[in-house]
Amino acid sequence: MATAPAPAACTAVAPPPADLAAWRTTDAAALTIGQPTTLTLTPAAATAFAITPDRAPAPGSFGGVVPLTVTTYGTYRVALSAGAWIDLIDPAKTSLKSVAHTEGPACSGIRKIVDFTLAPGRYTLQLSSAKAASIRVLVAPR
């Protein structure tokens, strides 16, 4: 079976989608709507997940759990700099179903985008199966 060719190396930085334009700004100290931040993850085997991840963490991978407060009803995009499994957990400790997902534009620095419909409240963003101990995250309204 033939393998797919490797993607071409980036020669220029592509812009993120308009609703994720903040991707290009400086990291915030904590995860806040509309502000990117780089999260330090822990080995998945040592991560205190809020709930069992929907997909079992890959051996040797990393994970993290961070709070997220939403003040306005709407669709929100979770953008990641690398591949990882995303569980967005509501206050009742239920993993929410995504309404859309896609890859980020080539050469934008965004690897994955997942959309969720959220009401005002406090949620938990849980990442698992990341291949590295840090990941950049942006949660923004669509």
Side-chain angles (χ1 to χ4, degrees):
M1 175 179 229
T3 59
C10 295
T11 57
V13 177
D19 53 353
L20 297 174
W23 186 260
R24 292 247 173 106
T25 63
T26 304
D27 281 3
L31 185 60
T32 305
I33 299 292
Q35 297 281 303
T37 191
T38 298
L39 300 176
T40 300
L41 306 176
T42 57
T47 302
F49 290 112
I51 63 171
T52 301
D54 278 349
R55 186 174 288 177
S61 67
F62 296 86
V65 178
V66 293
L68 176 67
T69 300
V70 173
T71 59
T72 305
Y73 178 86
T75 300
Y76 289 82
R77 307 192 98 183
V78 179
L80 302 178
S81 62
W85 184 258
I86 298 170
D87 287 304
L88 195 59
I89 304 162
D90 69 14
K93 298 286 186 190
T94 302
S95 181
L96 302 174
K97 300 298 177 201
S98 64
V99 296
H101 55 85
T102 188
E103 293 182 3
C107 302
S108 68
I110 299 173
R111 165 69 173 79
K112 180 177 188 173
I113 303 168
V114 181
D115 295 355
F116 296 90
T117 300
L118 303 176
R122 188 169 168 96
Y123 296 85
T124 302
L125 177 65
Q126 179 171 282
L127 303 176
S128 58
S129 293
K131 293 181 180 177
S134 70
I135 194 166
R136 193 160 196 239
V137 179
L138 171 62
V139 180
R142 179 152 173 108

